[in-house]
Amino acid sequence: MLLPRFELHRPSSVDEALTIAARHAGDCDFIAGGTDLLQNYKNRLNPRGHVVSLLGIDALQELSPTRIGALTTLARIEESETMRRELPILVEAASKVASPLVRQTATLGGNLLVETRCYYFNQSEFWRRSKGYCLKAEGDVCLVVPQKETCYAAFSGDMAPALMALGASARLKSLDGERIVKLTEFYEGDGIKRYVLRPGELVQGVELPPSATSLRGAYRKLRLRDTFDYPELGLAVTLGMEGEKIRELHVCAAAMETVPLCFDDLTGSLHGQPLSDSLIQLLGERIVKRVKPVKNTALSPNYRRKMVMVYLRRMLEQLATAGN
Amino acid sequence: MSEPKSGAAKGVIGQRLPLVDARKKTTGEAVYTDDIRLPNTLVGKILRSPHAHARIKGIDTSRALALPGVAAVVTGAENRANFGVLPISKDETALAVDKVIFVGDQVAAVAAEDEEIALEALGLIQVDYEVYPAFLQPEDSLKDVADPAHKIHARTVGETNVHKQVDQHFGDVDAALKDARIVRRGHFEFGSVTHAFTEPHCVIARYDTDGKLTLWSATQVPHYVHRALVEVTGLPMHAIRVIKPMVGGAFGGKSDPFPHEMAAALLSMKSGRPVKILFDREEVFLSHHGRHPTKTDIAVALDRDGKISGLDLKVLIDGGAWGSFGVVTTYYNGVLSAGPYDVSNFRYSGKRVYTNKPPCGAMRGHGAVNSRFAFEVLLDEIAEELGEDPCELRLKNFLPEYTTTINEFRITSNGIAEGMLRAMERSGWKEKYRQLPPGRGIGAACGFYISGSALPIHWSKLPQSTVHLKIDMDGGVTVHAGTADIGQGSDTMLAQCVAQVLGLPMSRLRVYTADSDMDPVDLGSYSSRVTFMAGNAARRAAEQIRTELIEAASRLTGYPAEGFVLEDELVVYTPLPRIRMSYMEALTEALADRGALIARGSYQSPPMGGKFKGAAAGLSPTYSFQSYISEVTVDEETGFVKVEKVWAAHDCGRALNPIAVEGQVEGSIHMGLGQLLSEQFRYHDGNVLNPNLLDYKTLSAKEMPEVECILIESGDPEGPFGAKECGEGPLLPILPSVANAIHDAVGVRIRRLPVTPEDILQGIQKNRMERSDVAAKIRVA
């Protein structure tokens, strides 16, 4: 398939990138690995006339347990001994994205901002035209849940829930300056709006609290095949224990809705309690009741919700024993 | 560099040899159709229907033609010639004529200087449609249409959209069902699966100033493409040359002559320039021609002696938009169920209907897979109900070798019982069946398949395969054949057959195939016919050359020709082995005063089969046989199935090249597991919802089980060196053996494919509820 024509800009600094983006405001995308963006461009999904490549900006390449640059490839995270020792949950999440070949190119920033996905959106121009397009690209009606207000495309990144569960924040920069936004507050809105990123603003990377390395963490991904596939459910759990009692517990999920979800409001009240079967059951039931996947991926919404409970229990049992 | 010792005394047959094109393919040196760059080539693009069913009221191509860089545009109005792979259902045209019948149907084709211009031109073509009601469910196509215009094709059964109906009855099935010790019935539904080969369809057509049309295409049957081009272009057959370059997989999906091939030819004839059409992946999915979805009702009866006394099959087959191989499919869904067991009464009723969806066609295991699944699952259920071992039940019912089936298939070599016994022994079946812990299970299933369709599609006295050989003073052996190597290794097979007869190493062989100007006609790579038919032709050609070399050696030495053999690049007089000479010495003598040695070998199936209507369907000069045992783990909380190991016994007659046979078995298992567990066309109205490799869900290497190939060499009396097919039969038993293993693991029976983790989980939960109901009743009592 042919890419649409666009002008490619190759700045060597963040400021230069932001300046170019501002000059072409509204008709510009940033590109890193391109594994998501270019495929969507080929399908004529919201292509822009200007594309700013970030690959020449060395400052965005850093990788440490407290700071990860947006340009860090998922393969680098996966292969990092330091990360495996300090934050194995991120290695686990990175190693489950797409395929080994894609991970050589795909970046952390790209995975955080990965385009939301839906059977009715991720189609060729020919396909979408034959159906009269959809809300998320060129049309005005959602083909999954017929109405004109909300896009239900699913957030399909694996890194965001894992990073959220570690308390990570996004480091944003625009011509107005830098700001730090907790990832739990970064994502909001429907399948089109998705996050609080302002026009012309760039994700430089994430930063993690030093205490993150003290948490035990796990990431599990529901999908038909153990490679290639986007998550049908991506569940991240982090746990800190004080003796037999929960010191800290975070549960975050991808692919359930249009943004990654964090259930701190349900887990916060559990701090100080012993991690029991009944506690896990109750927490699972509350989360299952909360999530509202729709029928726009391979597995049924009902099944995906059911698996939240199974995964949560297995992961908490694993994390509980991992510390002993 | 030292020569590999592949030409050692034993010869090259039975050796584990890399395929002759393996190096070129792995290094990227191999030339596929898209790699061919002819000067002045135009890019061809196709405008496709956005509607599942609509009348074309008008097409205006004037704006496209006016676009600078556009060289030619063709529409169906300019060429209404019908073609199709089967002479009995030629219902295709190069481009849609008067109406479109599925989303993706070809409406117009453009040839332009580059892809961007071609795509822009497609957007400038105005098509005015009158949308018709779409027939998307096969049941709807059984009914009379409200308006004759709504018939998908003119030629159908009455006023319905039924394409083909087959009714066959052997013996008395009703009596068998009545007198049976046990009868099991089932309704099964099978989703739509496609080949998912690596290389997208690609074609280059060049109509030159001499009035000659050359077509390079990724096809598995150059000869049928050749025939179709005659019908569409009106050119004489000798003015058309069809060449198949390297093909990146086909599995049946490149065995029809295709409308895009016809469109490329028409565009080249119109523009006078070469035209290349390369599909994107969505176009491959829309072009489809994959396995027919079926709804299968089946009853199996076992008599008081434990023999299969009745098989009653009723199948509704969703054909999609075109006939393709569908008449054959309609027969195969029935007739290929008449073995590998001795079925004493058999009835089949099959209906194939047209629907407004991408056309179905031939796919690995053509026609046999779904009915086989239903049959093998019911046999497992019968065994369970009787408390018998399902492998023992099968062993009691296998057809013997050298026999005739109820529908008069001639069975020759048959190693199925040996395969079953060896798979049982290797898998530890007796210790595992019904004895593995919960969540772990083992299951068995069998199959058999044709080794080449005995009757050609086009009635003709021509041989089904012909091979030409040439040896000149350089000592290399040139093999010419019309066979299509589509990755299965038929070029290697030809070289091996010739090298074996002539006692030569593979390095002396050079194989040129699938070029209609250079090579003799071969019917192509379908129905698992190539090893058996072309292999025999190659062997026969080589035997003539062998005779000439031996006669030369006899002349040079004065010893009688009868005592000479060719081995290890030597011609040896066996009564006195010191009387010998090199192959080159014998060759030089043979060439003297005459020039190059040339020979022709051919193959034609012997007459066989019954006299009843449809008797020819499923006839084959021999059949392959399979006995599989699969072991699985099922996650009882998620419903996910992990296939741990497969013991795959396959009777291939003789493994000419064990690596190649094992590759076919493993590939078949991968493909069959996809149909069972994950693959399917999803639809939104008439649109395929997942026309890409990400969403279609072919299984990955990670889901692939360990496979232990158990090659059974029954030695077929008519096969080349005893060989028969290995490309399709090995797919059949993997689906039911895993389904039966899933039942052994978690007690869930599968009635609908693909079976999702959710289906299995629901089955497990239903079983639990039933068990707790029973427990509750016991408590109450």
Side-chain angles (χ1 to χ4, degrees):
Chain A
M1 272 193 289
L2 210 57
L3 275 171
R5 282 179 186 270
F6 54 76
E7 190 176 335
L8 181 67
H9 303 269
R10 308 169 80 168
S12 53
S13 72
V14 169
D15 287 340
E16 193 188 343
L18 293 172
T19 308
I20 297 167
R23 200 185 308 139
H24 304 291
D27 189 27
C28 182
D29 271 326
F30 293 116
I31 189 171
T35 54
D36 182 41
L37 189 82
L38 293 181
Q39 185 55 42
N40 289 333
Y41 269 32
K42 284 182 180 175
N43 278 338
R44 303 301 188 267
L45 291 167
N46 306 320
R48 311 287 183 211
H50 295 267
V51 174
V52 183
S53 169
L54 306 177
L55 291 180
I57 306 174
D58 294 339
L60 303 181
Q61 293 275 8
E62 61 194 322
L63 175 62
S64 80
T66 51
R67 273 166 83 102
I68 311 175
L71 281 192
T72 308
T73 65
L74 299 174
R76 263 182 75 211
I77 296 173
E78 188 185 357
E79 288 155 12
S80 159
E81 281 306 318
T82 310
M83 296 304 280
R84 188 173 297 275
R85 199 174 54 242
E86 302 293 337
L87 293 168
I89 181 177
L90 293 185
V91 174
E92 204 177 359
S95 71
K96 291 189 163 113
V97 176
S99 65
L101 219 58
V102 171
R103 295 197 293 272
Q104 292 294 325
T105 315
T107 63
L108 174 73
N111 197 260
L112 291 175
L113 300 180
V114 70
E115 185 61 275
T116 53
R117 297 187 64 83
C118 174
Y119 268 141
Y120 300 85
F121 171 69
N122 297 103
Q123 298 286 359
S124 69
E125 161 73 16
F126 162 76
W127 197 100
R128 291 178 296 114
R129 184 159 16 96
S130 79
K131 296 265 70 141
Y133 300 102
C134 82
L135 194 56
K136 191 166 160 64
E138 295 161 78
D140 62 357
V141 178
C142 172
L143 295 172
V144 187
V145 184
Q147 41 76 46
K148 298 186 169 194
E149 280 77 42
T150 308
C151 166
Y152 283 86
F155 177 81
S156 302
D158 293 296
M159 299 307 291
L163 284 162
M164 276 174 150
L166 293 168
S169 301
R171 293 170 42 239
L172 312 181
K173 189 169 187 189
S174 67
L175 289 177
D176 299 334
E178 294 196 37
R179 58 178 182 137
I180 307 283
V181 179
K182 292 272 285 175
L183 273 186
T184 47
E185 290 154 19
F186 178 73
Y187 295 99
E188 65 171 39
D190 71 350
I192 297 169
K193 174 127 187 351
R194 297 160 21 230
Y195 33 62
V196 300
L197 205 61
R198 295 169 190 149
E201 198 171 32
L202 181 76
V203 176
Q204 298 187 94
V206 295
E207 59 180 43
L208 293 119
S211 60
T213 56
S214 72
L215 294 170
R216 306 167 199 168
Y219 179 75
R220 287 206 190 189
K221 180 169 177 175
L222 175 68
R223 50 180 168 171
L224 264 175
R225 301 176 292 186
D226 202 18
T227 184
F228 306 136
D229 291 344
Y230 285 93
E232 299 274 341
L233 158 68
L235 200 66
V237 178
T238 54
L239 176 69
M241 296 291 285
E242 219 161 66
E244 295 295 300
K245 290 183 176 161
I246 298 168
R247 188 188 76 233
E248 204 175 336
L249 172 62
H250 305 284
V251 178
C252 304
M256 288 288 100
E257 295 182 14
T258 60
V259 294
L261 305 172
C262 183
F263 303 103
D264 275 0
D265 58 327
L266 299 177
T267 56
S269 60
L270 305 176
H271 298 176
Q273 295 189 32
L275 183 63
S276 64
D277 291 350
S278 57
L279 176 143
I280 296 172
Q281 181 71 24
L282 195 66
L283 174 61
E285 282 169 12
R286 284 178 177 167
I287 294 175
V288 170
K289 200 178 280 178
R290 172 83 65 84
V291 295
K292 293 185 173 57
V294 297
K295 196 173 159 42
N296 60 354
T297 65
L299 299 171
S300 83
N302 191 33
Y303 177 76
R304 286 153 66 203
R305 289 175 69 228
K306 259 189 205 165
M307 287 306 104
V308 173
M309 176 66 96
V310 175
Y311 276 39
L312 181 71
R313 188 167 32 68
R314 287 182 177 184
M315 291 165 77
L316 278 171
E317 283 170 1
Q318 173 205 329
L319 292 178
T321 52
N324 295 336
Chain B
M1 222 169 74
S2 68
E3 201 67 48
K5 293 302 282 179
S6 52
K10 199 181 153 204
V12 295
I13 291 296
Q15 303 280 336
R16 303 180 70 83
L17 300 176
L19 302 187
V20 292
D21 48 14
R23 277 190 191 86
K24 284 199 165 70
K25 281 184 175 173
T26 45
T27 55
E29 196 180 318
V31 175
Y32 296 82
T33 306
D34 187 42
D35 294 321
I36 297 170
R37 302 269 186 269
L38 301 177
N40 274 328
T41 301
L42 297 166
V43 174
K45 285 279 166 194
I46 293 161
L47 182 71
R48 296 179 179 278
S49 166
H51 303 294
H53 199 184
R55 184 169 77 85
I56 299 173
K57 289 156 73 180
I59 305 181
D60 180 358
T61 60
S62 57
R63 286 174 64 211
L65 269 170
L67 185 71
V70 171
V73 180
V74 287
T75 67
E78 297 164 55
N79 190 306
R80 309 173 76 92
N82 281 106
F83 71 94
V85 68
L86 298 184
I88 36 177
S89 49
K90 290 184 192 174
D91 54 14
E92 299 177 44
T93 50
L95 297 146
V97 173
D98 302 333
K99 63 187 268 182
V100 289
I101 55 176
F102 67 101
V103 175
D105 203 355
Q106 297 192 175
V107 176
V110 168
E113 297 294 339
D114 66 30
E115 189 174 355
E116 203 173 6
I117 298 171
L119 289 170
E120 192 183 343
L122 292 187
L124 294 174
I125 297 174
Q126 300 282 317
V127 188
D128 197 6
Y129 292 107
E130 177 191 347
V131 176
Y132 283 168
F135 296 87
L136 300 174
Q137 295 305 321
E139 290 83 358
D140 296 338
S141 291
L142 293 171
K143 299 174 200 153
D144 284 353
V145 292
D147 177 339
H150 296 166
K151 273 175 67 167
I152 298 171
H153 289 284
R155 275 182 58 182
T156 57
V157 176
E159 290 307 303
T160 69
N161 278 307
V162 175
H163 167 221
K164 175 70 184 174
Q165 182 162 352
V166 171
D167 289 288
Q168 291 186 330
H169 195 171
F170 304 93
D172 186 344
V173 166
D174 290 322
L177 293 173
K178 196 160 79 54
D179 299 340
R181 177 178 172 206
I182 177 171
V183 175
R184 288 295 290 203
R185 294 171 195 278
H187 174 78
F188 292 81
E189 300 194 357
F190 300 89
S192 183
V193 292
T194 200
H195 322 81
F197 37 73
T198 311
E199 180 204 19
H201 297 279
C202 187
V203 61
I204 301 168
R206 181 184 65 194
Y207 185 68
D208 62 27
T209 46
D210 297 331
K212 175 136 186 170
L213 175 68
T214 305
L215 194 97
W216 292 261
S217 188
T219 175
Q220 43 189 118
V221 287
H223 181 61
Y224 296 159
V225 174
H226 200 169
R227 282 174 177 265
L229 284 168
V230 171
E231 304 190 55
V232 173
T233 64
L235 294 170
M237 201 169 196
H238 62 79
I240 301 172
R241 177 182 181 189
V242 177
I243 301 169
K244 175 212 72 78
M246 209 71 91
V247 166
F251 310 108
K254 294 171 181 168
S255 57
D256 290 61
F258 279 94
H260 69 269
E261 293 170 320
M262 307 302 131
L266 296 176
L267 285 171
S268 182
M269 291 173 78
K270 222 168 162 177
S271 64
R273 288 170 61 181
V275 174
K276 180 190 278 185
I277 295 176
L278 169 67
F279 277 8
D280 63 30
R281 188 54 67 175
E282 182 176 22
E283 290 181 292
V284 176
F285 274 91
L286 295 178
S287 183
H288 187 36
H289 286 77
R291 188 164 336 285
H292 289 67
T294 62
K295 296 187 177 173
T296 304
D297 288 289
I298 177 171
V300 178
L302 211 71
D303 68 15
R304 274 153 232 293
D305 299 325
K307 296 288 195 162
I308 299 169
S309 52
L311 173 60
D312 201 5
L313 256 178
K314 195 173 171 194
V315 185
L316 176 58
I317 304 164
D318 184 347
W322 290 326
S324 181
F325 279 92
V327 170
V328 178
T329 318
T330 313
Y331 278 108
Y332 279 7
N333 265 276
V335 301
L336 294 181
S337 302
Y341 311 105
D342 188 0
V343 178
S344 45
N345 298 281
F346 173 50
R347 180 166 58 197
Y348 171 58
S349 169
K351 274 188 187 145
R352 182 188 192 264
V353 296
Y354 289 120
T355 53
N356 293 114
K357 290 185 288 193
C360 298
M363 179 169 159
R364 203 178 207 173
H366 183 193
V369 175
N370 298 356
S371 298
R372 173 62 43 202
F373 181 88
F375 193 2
E376 297 291 325
V377 166
L378 285 203
L379 282 180
D380 203 65
E381 293 187 23
I382 286 174
E384 184 194 18
E385 194 158 325
L386 296 176
E388 282 189 20
D389 182 314
C391 291
E392 297 291 347
L393 184 145
R394 287 179 169 87
L395 281 164
K396 247 186 267 177
N397 279 281
F398 285 141
L399 290 163
E401 55 180 4
Y402 302 99
T403 186
T404 307
T405 65
I406 182 124
N407 53 350
E408 299 189 51
F409 292 170
R410 184 193 74 153
I411 302 293
T412 56
S413 62
N414 177 356
I416 195 164
E418 186 193 345
M420 185 88 265
L421 290 169
R422 282 187 53 197
M424 287 168 74
E425 185 213 320
R426 293 293 306 156
S427 63
W429 169 266
K430 288 280 180 192
E431 292 76 48
K432 287 178 177 169
Y433 177 66
R434 292 284 183 265
Q435 294 160 65
L436 291 169
R440 186 113 179 167
I442 194 163
C446 296
F448 82 120
Y449 202 71
I450 56 172
S451 186
S453 175
L455 272 88
I457 285 172
H458 301 265
W459 188 89
S460 162
K461 284 187 171 177
L462 272 177
Q464 289 153 311
S465 283
T466 303
V467 171
H468 292 174
L469 295 183
K470 187 207 80 174
I471 310 186
D472 213 328
M473 49 81 69
D474 60 15
V477 184
T478 307
V479 184
H480 281 287
T483 49
D485 196 322
I486 52 175
Q488 87 280 40
S490 62
D491 281 359
T492 308
M493 181 278 299
L494 291 174
Q496 279 187 271
C497 289
V498 173
Q500 179 74 16
V501 172
L502 299 180
L504 296 176
M506 292 288 278
S507 55
R508 283 208 185 262
L509 272 292
R510 39 208 190 196
V511 185
Y512 295 90
T513 51
D515 177 336
S516 65
D517 268 11
M518 314 298 279
D519 308 320
V521 171
D522 184 279
L523 297 186
S525 292
Y526 67 97
S527 84
S528 282
R529 54 176 295 285
V530 183
T531 293
F532 196 91
M533 297 187 179
N536 267 323
R539 188 176 54 85
R540 287 170 189 171
E543 282 166 357
Q544 294 167 38
I545 302 254
R546 180 175 64 189
T547 302
E548 295 192 56
L549 290 170
I550 285 174
E551 282 167 358
S554 171
R555 280 200 301 280
L556 282 175
T557 60
Y559 286 88
E562 290 70 43
F564 283 93
V565 296
L566 271 61
E567 55 180 32
D568 220 2
E569 294 186 89
L570 294 170
V571 188
V572 181
Y573 183 65
T574 46
L576 282 172
R578 67 180 168 77
I579 307 299
R580 59 170 61 197
M581 68 187 63
S582 72
Y583 155 72
M584 285 306 291
E585 284 174 271
L587 175 64
T588 305
E589 167 64 17
L591 295 174
D593 302 325
R594 293 197 309 152
L597 304 185
I598 55 171
R600 177 185 62 226
S602 61
Y603 179 85
Q604 181 78 298
S605 299
M608 62 181 77
K611 296 275 181 265
F612 55 90
K613 182 169 163 46
L619 286 180
S620 174
T622 189
Y623 297 84
S624 70
F625 293 90
Q626 301 78 33
S627 312
Y628 280 20
I629 290 175
S630 298
E631 190 169 338
V632 304
T633 305
V634 182
D635 186 322
E636 293 178 88
E637 286 185 314
T638 65
F640 267 72
V641 175
K642 181 173 189 329
V643 184
E644 303 284 350
K645 184 158 182 183
V646 180
W647 292 267
H650 170 66
D651 170 17
C652 61
R654 173 109 186 256
L656 301 182
N657 186 349
I659 319 183
V661 180
E662 288 161 10
Q664 287 297 321
V665 172
E666 287 161 8
S668 292
I669 286 171
H670 172 259
M671 193 171 253
L673 287 176
Q675 182 180 357
L676 178 73
L677 296 173
S678 61
E679 294 181 32
Q680 62 176 321
F681 271 39
R682 295 164 181 267
Y683 280 96
H684 181 260
D685 302 331
N687 287 61
V688 181
L689 198 52
N690 53 345
N692 61 74
L693 291 174
L694 180 64
D695 292 319
Y696 173 71
K697 309 286 184 214
T698 307
L699 290 176
S700 81
K702 289 212 174 186
E703 282 73 46
M704 194 57 193
E706 183 187 347
V707 175
E708 183 175 323
C709 270
I710 303 168
L711 299 183
I712 304 296
E713 301 195 302
S714 59
D716 191 79
E718 296 173 30
F721 309 99
K724 44 192 188 180
E725 78 91 26
C726 63
E728 299 193 74
L731 188 142
L732 302 172
I734 185 62
L735 299 86
S737 70
V738 171
N740 292 338
I742 290 170
H743 178 263
D744 189 46
V746 292
V748 175
R749 287 292 180 196
I750 293 163
R751 287 287 188 268
R752 193 178 66 216
L753 301 193
V755 60
T756 63
E758 185 172 21
D759 295 336
I760 291 176
L761 195 60
Q762 278 173 357
I764 291 170
Q765 283 164 353
K766 191 164 151 260
N767 285 348
R768 282 208 185 111
M769 274 160 63
E770 280 167 9
R771 268 201 302 276
S772 64
D773 280 356
V774 171
K777 274 179 202 151
I778 291 167
R779 273 199 302 278
V780 169

